[in-house]
Amino acid sequence: MSLAAGHSTATTFQTGRAVGKELASIGLSWVLAPTLDLLSDSTEPLDASQTFGSNPAIVRDHATALIQGLAAEGISACPNAHPAWPLLEVFRSQSLTELAENVEEVSQTPEFTPLANFCATHPHDSLQFGEPVHDFPELEDTAHAIRATREFILRGRCRYQGPTVSSVAEAPEGATVCDKHLPFLTMLSGLNMVKLPKDPEAQLESIKILEAAVMSCPLSARLVRESAARVAKFKTQFLSWPKALTPRQPESLLLPNHHNFAQHAYQASITAVSEGASPLRGLAPTSILLLLTPSVPRKHPNSPSDPFEPLGRALSTSFSRLRHVPYTLSAGLTEIHRPFLQRAAAVILVLCNISSALIESQDEVVSAVQSILRARDAMPGQQRTRKVVIGAGDPRDLRDDFPGWWEVCCYDYSRGALEAVTKVVLGQREATGVLPA
């Protein structure tokens, strides 16, 4: 999403080339990216940053640019899409014949624009899918319905001929199917390649279940032969053992221009949601600046234990009295935070995917911080607190009303994104990003 916020397909193309160089340096020639899905109300916040936004044309153009950049370095992209999702509710009430009659109309909706464009321009490349077969009680009936929909949309409407790949390796918690049965169900739903679970024992069981399904005919011989033919053609055209065994020299990744380009891409994406300049511009360097950051998973095993440490370090170069006080989602604000909120001349509150169903809510923390600062600012003779809120994930975090706060979005909490947003918050750079439509 940060690439779309930078509103430059040229930058997205160059990003594809940069990623392609990294992959080629370790012998890889295939990548499961980008996503062709549009950002919508049903998009899980943790997945929002992987989309290019909600505008079909923008998603199409940036996905195309990224794929072309990867291809320029010899890397084949395998985009992720969910073409059956708009029809899942239809499965419950219509026969496959009735479903087929509606596919032509549905496949011409704007949501299908990125997928249709990819199929037209890359008819033999691979595509990644993750329909939630496990979300329905009649698992085999649903698998057949999803397979029929893919046939109608991909093979019929879009004339796509490449192999389809499962994006799901493990069933989510609470699903009615266990991990070892998921590869069978996804293959039954028409996918040509499936992912196996991480657990070695579950992998072996999955293979045995697939073998038994072929022998006892739940998986037809035609389906297996068709999958084998599509995968074999794809491997011949796009995958190469010589490339894998003789990778490029990784020294090329250490060139300064590679780092500089990444820095430029992050800077171009920073988006000011509020009008006017940052309230921290002109704040005395000796003022107390309070930084409140949530406890979130690390991006990489080698990352700092606190992912927002780079943000604190970058801010501390301008404010000697910076106080970085993280908050846990379970404990919320504690007696440690309150004294700092009472004394700070300025407060930076970081939000990260606050509406996700997969992490604890940050709403209580947001409400508590606003309540404390409102009471403090209402005291006679009290100088108003300068307030900044940073969205370091899903930009929809900033949909709620933050009266009196200056809002800015960096879409991510990687080191590059945090260092880029720091320059905007400090007033050292203008925010040039645009919220992806």
Side-chain angles (χ1 to χ4, degrees):
M1 184 174 289
S2 59
L3 289 171
H7 52 89
S8 168
T9 53
T11 298
T12 302
F13 173 82
Q14 292 300 331
T15 299
R17 293 203 66 170
V19 173
K21 289 180 186 294
E22 293 184 6
L23 295 173
S25 73
I26 56 175
L28 297 181
S29 56
W30 189 43
V31 59
L32 302 178
T35 181
L36 302 178
D37 294 329
L38 306 187
L39 178 69
S40 67
D41 290 339
S42 62
T43 304
E44 161 59 38
L46 294 178
D47 297 331
S49 63
Q50 299 176 27
T51 74
F52 287 109
S54 57
N55 183 299
I58 291 176
V59 174
R60 177 199 62 205
D61 293 346
H62 281 275
T64 299
L66 189 68
I67 291 168
Q68 290 175 343
L70 290 164
E73 299 298 330
I75 306 298
S76 174
C78 180
N80 189 21
H82 298 82
W85 273 32
L87 303 175
L88 284 177
E89 289 302 319
V90 181
F91 293 162
R92 302 177 187 271
S93 59
Q94 292 190 351
S95 67
L96 293 185
T97 302
E98 293 171 317
L99 186 63
E101 294 173 355
N102 292 332
V103 164
E104 182 66 22
E105 178 182 348
V106 173
S107 64
Q108 294 186 46
T109 59
E111 289 78 8
F112 282 92
T113 299
L115 175 62
N117 179 73
F118 176 81
C119 291
T121 55
H122 301 80
H124 301 291
D125 287 24
S126 56
L127 264 172
Q128 186 182 184
F129 296 106
E131 269 74 38
V133 176
H134 41 70
D135 283 355
F136 292 80
E138 301 83 12
L139 292 173
E140 291 200 13
D141 289 345
T142 304
H144 285 301
I146 292 177
R147 185 174 74 216
T149 304
R150 285 206 189 94
E151 290 295 321
F152 297 151
I153 295 176
L154 293 180
R155 311 303 184 191
R157 179 74 176 83
C158 298
R159 302 189 182 281
Y160 170 72
Q161 298 302 316
T164 51
V165 184
S166 171
S167 66
V168 180
E170 298 174 343
E173 185 177 351
T176 56
V177 59
C178 60
D179 291 348
K180 64 183 180 181
H181 287 99
L182 195 56
F184 161 67
L185 287 169
T186 51
M187 191 108 184
L188 192 66
S189 73
L191 292 173
N192 305 130
M193 299 170 67
V194 298
K195 292 181 181 178
L196 296 178
K198 295 179 182 178
D199 179 67
E201 292 186 7
Q203 289 180 6
L204 182 59
E205 288 298 318
S206 295
I207 293 172
K208 289 180 178 179
I209 290 170
L210 286 170
E211 182 181 19
V214 172
M215 299 301 293
S216 59
C217 295
L219 282 178
S220 68
R222 182 191 67 81
L223 181 63
V224 174
R225 285 197 295 268
E226 178 186 285
S227 294
R230 292 188 191 281
V231 172
K233 184 175 182 180
F234 170 77
K235 287 175 63 179
T236 301
Q237 186 171 356
F238 295 105
L239 304 183
S240 166
W241 276 113
K243 284 185 178 180
L245 297 175
T246 56
R248 302 178 190 174
Q249 294 301 314
E251 287 79 5
S252 60
L253 303 180
L254 303 177
L255 294 176
N257 61 349
H258 191 86
H259 173 76
N260 292 340
F261 167 74
Q263 193 175 45
H264 167 76
Y266 278 122
Q267 290 172 351
S269 71
I270 306 304
T271 305
V273 180
S274 301
E275 295 182 356
S278 167
L280 266 61
R281 179 180 289 179
L283 183 65
T286 55
S287 301
I288 297 178
L289 172 61
L290 175 61
L291 173 63
L292 295 172
T293 60
S295 173
V296 295
R298 291 189 293 176
K299 284 283 187 179
H300 188 275
N302 295 330
S303 302
S305 56
D306 180 355
F308 292 102
E309 182 181 318
L311 178 60
R313 289 184 180 276
L315 290 167
S316 66
T317 61
S318 296
F319 292 96
S320 59
R321 301 179 70 189
L322 172 77
R323 300 295 183 263
H324 181 187
V325 189
Y327 61 88
T328 62
L329 303 180
S330 55
L333 290 190
T334 67
E335 294 307 313
I336 297 177
H337 301 90
R338 296 179 189 278
F340 287 112
L341 283 166
Q342 295 291 350
R343 298 198 307 268
V347 176
I348 297 177
L349 175 63
V350 177
L351 305 178
C352 189
N353 305 317
I354 61 175
S355 58
S356 173
L358 303 180
I359 60 177
E360 295 178 85
S361 174
Q362 298 166 48
D363 290 339
E364 291 186 8
V365 173
V366 172
S367 297
V369 169
Q370 289 182 313
S371 177
I372 292 172
L373 293 180
R374 273 197 302 267
R376 177 192 167 187
D377 291 347
M379 295 175 63
Q382 175 66 47
Q383 188 174 15
R384 295 184 65 84
T385 311
R386 304 190 189 198
K387 301 181 287 288
V388 173
V389 59
I390 298 176
D394 187 349
R396 295 174 297 179
D397 288 349
L398 302 180
R399 287 185 300 189
D400 294 333
D401 191 24
F402 290 91
W405 292 73
W406 193 76
E407 304 171 50
V408 63
C409 190
C410 62
Y411 307 97
D412 191 8
Y413 56 92
S414 61
R415 178 184 294 273
L418 296 176
E419 291 176 348
V421 77
T422 299
K423 293 184 178 181
V424 172
V425 167
L426 295 178
Q428 297 171 355
R429 291 184 62 91
E430 295 295 327
T432 58
V434 177
L435 283 174

